[in-house]
């Protein structure tokens, strides 16, 4: 399943050597990427993270460094294919599936709230209303 593939990809990433993960470290100009130095109540957390998100262009097929892809919080930084095979591919599929599911839920909630059928596009929803 996609969820199993996603979990395996995440596990593969965090199993990489520390030096490999540091190549993706977020910085003052890009808050997307790897970090292990987050503070909570001025104390360092005992966790590692990799922040990624939908590209600014909304086009996953464009390269992460493409001029159309920066967001307010930066650009995605994925490990190279040789170090973590299929990682980006699986993460993109996971994001796309989450987007599809959230859209479906929004349509159902809109219907439950009595939003008129045909208003989906105005609400930014791609699917038709469902009763």
């Amino acid at each position: 399943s996609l969820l199993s593939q996603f979990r395996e990809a995440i596990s593969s990433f965090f199993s990489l050597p520390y030096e490999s993960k540091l190549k993706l470290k977020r910085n003052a100009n890009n808050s997307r990427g790897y970090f292990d130095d987050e503070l909570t109540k001025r104390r360092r957390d005992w966790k590692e993270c990799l922040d990624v998100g939908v590209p600014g262009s909304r086009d996953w097929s464009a390269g992460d460094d493409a001029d159309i892809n920066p967001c307010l919080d930066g650009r995605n930084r994925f490990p190279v294919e040789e170090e973590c095979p299929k990682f980006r591919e699986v993460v993109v599929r996971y994001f796309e599936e989450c987007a599809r599911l959230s859209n479906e839920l929004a349509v159902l909630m809109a219907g439950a709230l009595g939003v008129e059928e045909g208003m989906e596009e105005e609400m930014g929803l791609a699917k038709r209303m469902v009763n």
Side-chain angles (χ1 to χ4, degrees):
S1 75
L2 178 57
L3 190 54
S4 296
Q5 292 173 359
F6 182 71
R7 287 181 180 141
E8 184 177 317
I10 296 300
S11 179
S12 293
F13 173 77
F14 288 110
S15 296
L16 289 172
Y18 186 64
E19 297 76 31
S20 295
K21 294 180 278 192
L22 280 181
K23 293 176 191 172
L24 307 174
K25 187 154 178 60
R26 66 183 187 177
N27 57 46
N29 298 318
N30 189 1
S31 63
R32 292 187 181 189
Y34 172 79
F35 63 99
D36 66 345
D37 54 0
E38 188 166 80
L39 303 178
T40 300
K41 296 184 180 181
R42 296 184 290 179
R43 298 185 79 171
R44 190 171 180 167
D45 285 340
W46 289 74
K47 66 181 177 192
E48 296 179 288
C49 299
L50 179 67
D51 280 346
V52 298
V54 175
S57 67
R58 301 286 200 237
D59 182 1
W60 286 101
S61 67
D64 295 311
D65 289 329
D67 289 340
I68 60 173
N69 273 339
C71 295
L72 290 175
D73 60 345
R75 300 172 185 268
N76 287 325
R77 305 185 70 189
F78 288 100
V80 295
E81 186 71 15
E82 296 77 30
E83 287 189 319
C84 206
K86 299 190 183 269
F87 181 82
R88 186 182 189 281
E89 175 187 323
V90 170
V91 169
V92 168
R93 282 197 352 253
Y94 180 81
F95 265 80
E96 290 172 339
E97 185 60 23
C98 287
R100 186 201 62 74
L101 178 60
S102 66
N103 190 57
E104 192 173 307
L105 290 171
V107 168
L108 292 170
M109 288 187 288
L113 293 170
V115 174
E116 294 179 29
E117 189 166 346
M119 297 290 292
E120 309 84 22
E121 276 190 41
E122 291 180 41
M123 297 173 56
L125 303 175
K127 294 189 136 197
R128 62 183 171 81
M129 298 296 290
V130 178
N131 285 327

